[in-house]
Amino acid sequence: GHPLPLRVRRESRHIIMGITLEHRGRVASFGNLSEMSAQSANDADERSAADITKAKEAVLESDHASFVEAVVSGDIASSPVAVATGDVAEEVRVAALSVARAALSGDAAEGKSAEILSSLAKMVEDKVVAAEAATQARSEDHRRGALVALYGHCASTSLPAGDAGREPALKLILKSLGTLGDRGCFVAAPALAPLAADLGFASNALVKQLMTDATTSASESERRAGAAGVAGLFSGFGGASIAKFGAVTLVEEALDAKKDAIARAGGCALYTHMCATAGRAFEPFAVKLAPKVFALQGDASAEVRAAADAGQTALVKSLPLTAMKLLSPALVHAMGHKSWQAKCGALGTCGDLAQRVPQYFMRTIPEIFPAFLECVFDTHPKVSALAGHVMEPICRCVKNAEVLGMLHLVMDAIREPQKDTEKCLDKLMETTFVNSMDAPSLAVVLPIILRGLRERTKELKQKAAVTCGNICALVDDVRDLNPFIPSLKPELEKCEEHSHPDLRECATKAKGSLLKGLEGQGADKDRTDATTCVVKALETVQGGVDAETKAYAASLGGWVIESAPMRIPPSILANDVKHELLALLEGMVDEEQLKSAAEGAVLEYKGLDAAALLDDEQKDYIVDLQGIILAFAGRVLLQRTNFSLERGKTYGIVGQNGTGKTTLLNRVAAKDIAGFPPDVSVYYIQHEILSEKEETIVDFMVQMVPEGVSRETVVNTLKEVGFDDVKMAATIQSLSGGWRMKLAIARAMLWDAEVLLLDEPTNHLDTAAIAWLTNYLKSLTNTTICLVSHDYDFLADVLTDVIHLHDKNLTYYPMGFKDFQSLKPEIVAALPSPNNAIKKIESIGGNANLAEMAHSASVASLASLDENGPSRSESPAPVKYAFDSIGDNQPAHIKPIRFPEPGPLEGVKSRNKCVMYMKEVAFTYPGTDRKILTNANVKITQDSRAALIGANGAGKTTLFKMITGIDEPDKGEVVVGETVKLMYVDQSRDSLNDDKTVFEELSGGAEEISLGSRTVNARAYCSWYNFKSADQQKKVGQLSGGERNRLQLAKTLTSGGNVLMLDEPTNDLDVATLRALEEAVTSWNGVTMCISHDRWFLNKICTHIMAYEGDSQVTFFQGSYDEYEEHRKERMGGGEPTRIKYRPMPAMA
């Protein structure tokens, strides 16, 4: 198991330098990250995640009028909103401050602005300014900071620009900072920004005085107030003001003041608040000064150490993920520092980043790993112990599946090289690799190879040399080898001089594999590095950008270029570079000039000319619409973007629910977008076919195909998609959802359109049907296909190109879906579970890799000894870390879906008591001799989450209908407990009224909704299903498929039942909503029964399986989907399938 968490307390400040501290299932981080400075164990949040979510929702539902009234009266101490601004959880505090601002700016405050401002000013004077000193109570500091922030908000919004009252308001805020702690200042100081413009020439003297206070005052509170004040003002003045006032020089001089502890502490304070408040304009200087700040964590002065801790926290929290690589030098510097405190600070940061954002932290591993290894063997016990704690999360960031499979052996060899080096080398040699190696994976493995090369014995040296050569041969991007050449090459050259010829030969081969990194860059070893290319390109950009910021921008842009896959098209790479630089330099440069500079840098780095960006003439576009605009339901979905489709390509449109993917397909199908070629034939498979007519499938289809298509052709096409004579003679009403979708596909085949559109085509389809559809779409080499799907396995199999719909724009990626995921790891981060589409394509850790495009051989054995795969032994769960956030660019958190509490099951006192059962049930489809069930026995208990699985048309929905009483069994009994109240969410969603708003559909227009025996606020209930404010006023007919799915679920759950029956609930859901649904189902206390073909969803939620295994037999199995599959294979492998024997049905409670 893992060693106990390390705790190191510094003096009386109770700063815990370890990794985790658990409280009733909650894990708080104390690794020099968020919420750390001056934090004690008593500040830890003991609530569960669900409790925190409920607290946030309660705040969001607060009454605005009551809060305004409390503010006007001057007594907000008891207001729930005001209390929540001091909550331990940041998400609750943020929600509370947002509600408070909205209340003071909304209808409830109309006509009261003067009273509100006057009352807030008095409260700031009495409750903040009049306080004797900064409070050490975190919640109180947050509340007082929020009070100041609200005052600043009201002053800036109610007093017009130039009003005489704005300057006194600004000065009152500055005055209040003197009695706030760091946390309070972080909340209050941004309120200065909108008022700063009113200072005029007075700003010069004020800023200089504040900077002097920050770096020279003997009072910690005065230093803090000066630092927070000047940071807030800089945020309002704009980025250029930082250089204008010499703030960076002042900070650097203060940090370097070796004989002045007050100056060093003040420099750290100014650095901290500039990181937290001044915005990205300070980012280049923050990264440059980070090594100095990190080193001061080992300062002789406790006050300086605490200030440096806060500085490291502020930097990590403010730094965007895309700039994380540039933090590496500071981390390496700190890990090599002489003080153990600085080393522990850097190690704690690495551990948190590795756990929270492994896809991004992974990219720093090649640079930091050598310094990290030194910490593993550090002589100070606290450093080595902490390095041992963070080793696993750091190593688990790598994405090579085979390395991950033997990770514990690799870590053992790192920790105890004398004992385990040879064992690890043997494992590496015998492992069959099917995935390429990248730089992070190499960084983790190569220390073991280095150790082997340095051993005395010829045998171990030879094993290390062979392993080195073969590992290097597995590298796809040869640039990944370059960081390791300086350390490996000398050792291999020593082996080349060994007396034994076998070792010399192995070393020479290994060196050849290693040096292909240099050869892969071409014969021109003088090629300019990417950063230099960006520096040169930025010289053409006009604007007031200082030299330091320009150099940092060049480093950021250069890293984007060098870290991109080798085969990424230049136009896409240039767009990514422009995007990163614009976020940093926005407001300082012209966007078009920046675009040209980004293109120029990419072209120079790759040695290409401008034609590489303009190769459209070579493409055969069947649709090429420039600058289209698309708006729907009062919302702009696309704004001046291009929609282009090449003939014969298969495009997948990806994006969040509600961004307009289906709307775009609808408009393409209608061909009503301006400029759409009228002679291009388009066919749209929007959903499964529905019909109320009592006619056979064949008769129906004959009427729905183009003229000239014979009945025989219709029949043959139906047979091709799986219809037999019995099914073709049936009616559409008798078909399951999956067979109706197959019918829609058959109709599309008969139309033979040039452009085929599909919206969620795998909905309702079983595995065999999806495989058939995949092969069919691949066979349409002359048809252009454009589809929307949330089935990532399916997308990975069929797409040739990806269209990303985001921010009212379409971005094109000429690559398959798995390569797109590698390029855009935020998509991978949103996948519902580790067992997802990416695992299917052999890439563990979230990123599909591009190696398969380069390696023609899919399998390479390192030693070519045997075909054994990597170890599959289970490893303990990695150590958990937690901190509030890293920057603004991290993947969005999943919004929770909340189910109401289930109605009571009277008389059922135990959760394993039976609440419904089927005994010896048989059923045959009416009018046919086709048996759906024969002697079926099923028991459902109160703690069941049962999944119904089987092929399309097997009878899963029919079983649901028998439980609900819609259908009656031919024999046997279906018994449902007397107090059971069923809630059935069908797959059609036909019960929704398209003409009503979401709010009207759920509440009937009433302000309260009845949920069984209790009532809740109607708008709050809408928000439980992520229908917020404006979304509640949408017409139901304007909703996307995923939104309709959520609405149907919300409407059904208003009945307050205790048994929830879900028929294909994952259809149309994006991955974030799917994750939220999983959490809602698993945390609900009622009974759940679910029909789904989504095995990953079922694995997450189900405790029991009811499987249709053919011959009208239903197998009832207790366990997950994977456990059922394993059990089924065992049964089928031993001969004919056999039924599971059950215990006798218990009597109803």
Side-chain angles (χ1 to χ4, degrees):
H2 300 291
L4 291 175
L6 173 69
R7 300 184 188 181
V8 182
R9 296 188 179 274
R10 294 184 179 175
E11 290 85 29
S12 61
R13 298 184 66 83
H14 303 296
I15 299 177
I16 303 174
M17 291 292 299
I19 297 300
T20 60
L21 180 65
E22 298 189 11
H23 289 280
R24 300 182 189 173
R26 292 280 294 160
V27 180
S29 168
F30 303 92
N32 276 352
L33 294 172
S34 61
E35 304 297 341
M36 196 205 74
S37 181
Q39 178 166 308
S40 71
N42 294 329
D43 290 325
D45 195 345
E46 299 185 355
R47 296 171 296 181
S48 68
D51 288 338
I52 292 175
T53 298
K54 288 180 181 177
K56 183 178 78 170
E57 290 174 348
V59 170
L60 292 173
E61 296 165 12
S62 299
D63 181 60
H64 287 196
S66 299
F67 179 72
V68 171
E69 184 178 339
V71 171
V72 172
S73 68
D75 181 19
I76 62 171
S78 59
S79 166
V81 175
V83 171
T85 59
D87 196 277
V88 176
E90 184 179 28
E91 60 189 283
V92 178
R93 297 197 303 270
V94 170
L97 195 55
S98 175
V99 168
R101 285 178 173 139
L104 297 178
S105 303
D107 295 340
E110 189 173 357
K112 303 177 182 177
S113 58
E115 292 177 82
I116 291 171
L117 189 60
S118 174
S119 180
L120 285 171
K122 187 175 187 307
M123 283 189 280
V124 169
E125 289 278 9
D126 295 344
K127 300 179 183 298
V128 183
V129 176
E132 293 184 2
T135 177
Q136 292 300 310
R138 177 168 64 174
S139 59
E140 180 61 23
D141 197 29
H142 277 305
R143 277 194 288 269
R144 295 198 300 158
L147 180 61
V148 177
L150 289 176
Y151 170 67
H153 167 75
C154 290
S156 62
T157 55
S158 63
L159 300 175
D163 189 282
R166 288 171 70 92
E167 186 172 338
L170 182 144
K171 291 182 177 179
L172 179 56
I173 295 172
L174 287 172
K175 192 176 179 182
S176 70
L177 297 177
T179 59
L180 294 173
D182 276 329
R183 298 180 184 87
C185 287
F186 291 154
V187 179
L192 292 167
L195 298 170
D198 290 272
L199 283 175
F201 292 108
S203 64
N204 292 339
L206 178 59
V207 168
K208 289 179 181 178
Q209 182 60 52
L210 290 172
M211 291 198 298
T212 300
D213 292 344
T215 54
T216 63
S217 175
S219 166
E220 181 183 3
S221 60
E222 287 184 11
R223 292 197 300 269
R224 181 188 300 115
V230 77
L233 292 177
F234 283 154
S235 178
F237 294 155
S241 61
I242 295 175
K244 172 186 173 183
F245 286 101
V248 178
T249 301
L250 181 65
V251 173
E252 188 166 14
E253 290 174 350
L255 295 175
D256 288 338
K258 295 182 179 180
K259 297 182 179 180
D260 190 346
I262 288 177
R264 296 196 302 276
C268 289
L270 187 51
Y271 178 91
T272 297
H273 287 275
M274 292 290 284
C275 286
T277 307
R280 289 201 68 181
F282 185 66
E283 183 182 309
F285 312 106
V287 172
K288 173 190 172 185
L289 297 175
K292 296 178 183 290
V293 175
F294 288 13
L296 289 177
Q297 290 179 298
D299 196 270
S301 165
E303 199 167 18
V304 175
R305 292 200 301 271
D309 287 344
Q312 186 182 68
T313 301
L315 172 63
V316 172
K317 195 169 182 179
S318 64
L319 199 65
L321 292 173
T322 48
M324 187 183 299
K325 172 93 168 178
L326 304 182
L327 188 61
S328 298
L331 293 172
V332 170
H333 178 79
M335 283 190 279
H337 197 264
K338 62 183 179 180
S339 70
W340 68 267
Q341 296 99 328
K343 293 176 181 178
C344 285
L347 289 170
T349 297
C350 290
D352 274 306
L353 294 174
Q355 180 66 28
R356 282 296 182 180
V357 283
Q359 300 96 334
Y360 292 90
F361 182 75
M362 173 185 73
R363 299 164 181 172
T364 71
I365 290 178
E367 284 74 30
I368 71 162
F369 210 71
F372 168 75
L373 289 177
E374 294 297 322
C375 291
V376 173
F377 301 106
D378 196 272
T379 55
H380 198 291
K382 291 171 182 175
V383 175
S384 57
L386 186 53
H389 276 299
V390 303
M391 182 185 295
E392 182 165 350
I394 288 175
C395 292
R396 283 205 175 276
C397 291
V398 305
K399 64 182 181 181
N400 181 275
E402 290 76 29
V403 173
L404 287 171
M406 64 177 77
L407 191 57
H408 279 281
L409 181 56
V410 171
M411 291 190 296
D412 288 343
I414 291 174
R415 292 190 188 100
E416 300 183 79
Q418 291 182 334
K419 176 183 174 184
D420 292 315
T421 293
E422 186 168 10
K423 188 188 302 182
C424 188
L425 287 172
D426 288 339
K427 185 65 178 176
L428 283 166
M429 292 178 69
E430 71 185 28
T431 295
T432 300
F433 280 71
V434 296
N435 294 280
S436 67
M437 296 290 289
D438 57 6
S441 303
L442 288 168
V444 172
V445 171
L446 288 183
I448 297 154
I449 295 175
L450 265 175
R451 174 73 188 200
L453 292 172
R454 291 168 179 165
E455 287 290 332
R456 298 178 64 116
T457 66
K458 171 261 177 185
E459 289 76 13
L460 198 49
K461 283 179 178 288
Q462 187 167 334
K463 285 181 180 180
V466 171
T467 305
C468 178
N470 289 330
I471 284 285
C472 293
L474 292 174
V475 172
D476 175 38
D477 189 340
V478 293
R479 296 173 301 174
D480 288 339
L481 291 170
N482 293 338
F484 310 103
I485 291 176
S487 58
L488 283 171
K489 184 170 175 277
E491 298 301 328
L492 289 171
E493 288 175 342
K494 290 178 184 177
C495 291
E496 283 184 304
E497 298 173 358
H498 196 275
S499 60
H500 201 288
D502 290 348
L503 176 54
R504 293 199 302 269
E505 182 182 356
C506 291
T508 299
K509 289 181 179 178
K511 190 172 77 169
S513 291
L514 175 68
L515 296 183
K516 73 178 181 181
L518 296 176
E519 297 166 1
Q521 294 179 14
D524 55 337
K525 296 183 180 179
D526 297 328
R527 170 196 265 187
T528 307
D529 65 61
T531 298
T532 303
C533 293
V534 180
V535 168
K536 182 177 178 181
L538 287 177
E539 292 174 357
T540 65
V541 178
Q542 299 177 354
V545 184
D546 61 272
E548 289 279 359
T549 300
K550 190 173 286 188
Y552 178 82
S555 297
L556 182 60
W559 175 76
V560 171
I561 293 173
E562 291 181 343
S563 63
M566 293 178 68
R567 295 166 206 66
I568 183 174
S571 58
I572 294 178
L573 180 54
N575 186 62
D576 285 349
V577 173
K578 186 207 81 171
H579 174 78
E580 293 299 336
L581 298 185
L582 184 62
L584 180 71
L585 305 176
E586 192 169 13
M588 304 182 196
V589 297
D590 178 74
E591 184 174 349
E592 284 302 314
Q593 289 186 15
L594 197 60
K595 177 184 176 183
S596 298
E599 291 174 345
V602 170
L603 293 175
E604 181 177 358
Y605 178 76
K606 289 183 171 289
L608 303 172
D609 57 32
L613 300 170
L614 304 170
D615 58 351
D616 290 352
E617 292 78 13
Q618 305 170 12
K619 298 178 179 178
D620 181 16
Y621 287 110
I622 190 170
V623 176
D624 188 17
L625 307 176
Q626 303 295 310
I628 69 169
I629 295 175
L630 181 64
F632 177 68
R635 290 192 305 136
V636 176
L637 301 175
L638 295 176
Q639 192 170 42
R640 292 185 298 278
T641 190
N642 301 335
F643 182 70
S644 305
L645 302 177
E646 282 187 71
R647 195 180 303 274
K649 292 285 191 78
T650 299
Y651 296 84
I653 305 177
V654 300
Q656 293 297 312
N657 277 351
T659 54
K661 301 184 297 293
T662 297
T663 301
L664 176 59
L665 290 186
N666 287 335
R667 301 280 52 87
V668 173
K671 301 200 294 187
D672 59 4
I673 301 176
F676 196 99
D679 57 336
V680 172
S681 59
V682 179
Y683 191 85
Y684 187 17
I685 303 177
Q686 188 172 11
H687 47 67
E688 71 272 18
I689 290 177
L690 302 173
S691 174
E692 297 299 325
K693 294 182 179 180
E694 290 290 336
E695 57 186 351
T696 68
I697 301 290
V698 175
D699 290 338
F700 171 83
M701 287 289 286
V702 167
Q703 305 171 49
M704 305 300 294
V705 297
E707 290 184 19
V709 176
S710 66
R711 188 180 186 91
E712 181 182 1
T713 302
V714 170
V715 170
N716 290 336
T717 303
L718 288 171
K719 287 181 179 179
E720 189 175 345
V721 299
F723 281 82
D724 56 20
D725 293 338
V726 174
K727 272 197 169 56
M728 285 190 283
T731 63
I732 290 177
Q733 298 95 301
S734 67
L735 297 180
S736 68
W739 280 102
R740 290 198 299 270
M741 179 58 78
K742 290 180 182 179
L743 191 62
I745 294 168
R747 186 168 66 177
M749 293 167 64
L750 291 164
W751 277 91
D752 193 26
E754 293 171 276
V755 176
L756 177 62
L757 310 176
L758 302 97
D759 193 2
E760 299 292 350
T762 63
N763 281 359
H764 315 303
L765 296 185
D766 57 29
T767 304
I770 293 174
W772 178 90
L773 176 61
T774 298
N775 291 330
Y776 171 69
L777 294 180
K778 286 182 175 180
S779 72
L780 301 178
T781 55
N782 293 320
T783 301
T784 301
I785 302 169
C786 190
L787 59 88
V788 170
S789 176
H790 293 107
D791 185 336
Y792 289 89
D793 285 335
F794 176 70
L795 293 179
D797 285 338
V798 302
L799 296 191
T800 62
D801 296 68
V802 176
I803 303 175
H804 187 200
L805 198 165
H806 64 106
D807 300 327
K808 305 174 186 176
N809 188 51
L810 297 175
T811 303
Y812 292 76
Y813 296 87
M815 58 188 68
F817 187 73
K818 59 183 179 180
D819 294 340
F820 171 71
Q821 287 174 312
S822 178
L823 183 63
K824 295 293 179 181
E826 63 271 19
I827 300 292
V828 179
L831 285 172
S833 73
N835 298 321
N836 51 29
I838 304 310
K839 187 170 182 181
K840 172 184 173 185
I841 53 177
E842 304 293 334
S843 178
I844 296 177
N847 291 334
N849 64 65
L850 298 175
E852 297 172 18
M853 299 171 65
H855 288 282
S856 57
S858 61
V859 177
S861 175
L862 282 185
S864 300
L865 299 176
D866 57 49
E867 296 298 318
N868 293 331
S871 169
R872 299 296 180 188
S873 59
E874 293 186 4
S875 58
V879 182
K880 296 290 185 183
Y881 303 89
F883 65 101
D884 293 342
S885 63
I886 308 176
D888 298 324
N889 295 330
Q890 61 184 341
H893 292 293
I894 299 165
K895 298 176 182 177
I897 291 176
R898 177 179 168 190
F899 286 2
E901 286 299 311
L905 279 165
E906 297 176 7
V908 181
K909 299 180 180 179
S910 171
R911 291 192 59 80
N912 60 8
K913 284 286 188 179
C914 182
V915 297
M916 67 173 74
Y917 66 87
M918 301 175 69
K919 187 173 182 181
E920 303 296 329
V921 168
F923 183 84
T924 304
Y925 269 139
T928 72
D929 59 355
R930 182 171 171 233
K931 292 182 179 180
I932 296 300
L933 294 173
T934 302
N935 298 328
N937 294 285
V938 173
K939 179 184 77 170
I940 301 296
T941 61
Q942 190 178 356
D943 62 352
S944 293
R945 293 194 299 272
L948 277 70
I949 63 173
N952 291 135
K956 302 182 294 294
T957 301
T958 300
L959 189 146
F960 266 19
K961 289 181 178 179
M962 281 192 284
I963 293 174
T964 58
I966 297 174
D967 289 337
E968 294 289 336
D970 299 337
K971 74 165 193 171
E973 56 181 342
V974 179
V975 178
V976 179
E978 292 182 0
T979 58
V980 168
K981 188 172 183 180
L982 302 172
M983 299 182 292
Y984 182 23
V985 183
D986 67 27
Q987 58 184 257
S988 68
R989 309 167 198 145
D990 290 339
S991 63
L992 300 177
N993 187 333
D994 288 351
D995 295 328
K996 290 185 177 181
T997 65
V998 170
F999 179 78
E1000 291 167 346
E1001 184 69 9
L1002 282 180
S1003 70
E1007 287 301 316
E1008 290 189 332
I1009 289 179
S1010 174
L1011 302 178
S1013 59
R1014 67 191 185 99
T1015 59
V1016 298
N1017 180 276
R1019 297 197 180 277
Y1021 182 76
C1022 293
S1023 72
W1024 290 5
Y1025 298 87
N1026 286 314
F1027 291 111
K1028 309 290 186 183
S1029 55
D1031 291 338
Q1032 297 178 15
Q1033 302 310 312
K1034 278 185 182 178
K1035 293 286 187 182
V1036 173
Q1038 299 169 356
L1039 300 181
S1040 68
E1043 290 169 327
R1044 289 179 70 89
N1045 196 336
R1046 277 189 278 133
L1047 181 59
Q1048 180 72 65
L1049 181 63
K1051 183 177 179 181
T1052 303
L1053 284 163
T1054 58
S1055 66
N1058 42 39
V1059 175
L1060 179 60
M1061 306 171 70
L1062 302 170
D1063 197 347
E1064 298 288 1
T1066 66
N1067 285 351
D1068 302 318
L1069 295 186
D1070 61 28
V1071 290
T1073 308
L1074 184 57
R1075 283 281 295 276
L1077 178 61
E1078 290 169 1
E1079 294 296 325
V1081 171
T1082 54
S1083 61
W1084 193 56
N1085 289 325
V1087 180
T1088 304
M1089 300 176 70
C1090 177
I1091 297 172
S1092 178
H1093 291 110
D1094 188 337
R1095 63 172 294 178
W1096 318 117
F1097 176 72
L1098 296 182
N1099 252 338
K1100 277 284 190 179
I1101 69 159
C1102 69
T1103 60
H1104 297 75
I1105 299 290
M1106 289 182 282
Y1108 285 77
E1109 292 187 342
D1111 296 327
S1112 68
Q1113 301 295 309
V1114 173
T1115 295
F1116 186 69
F1117 179 83
Q1118 181 170 344
S1120 69
Y1121 181 93
D1122 280 349
E1123 290 167 341
Y1124 159 75
E1125 275 293 305
E1126 184 177 354
H1127 184 271
R1128 183 185 65 81
K1129 289 175 183 177
E1130 290 176 359
R1131 288 184 289 119
M1132 300 302 184
E1136 291 296 315
T1138 56
R1139 299 266 317 280
I1140 296 176
K1141 299 184 183 296
Y1142 337 90
R1143 288 174 287 185
M1145 285 277 119
M1148 291 295 292

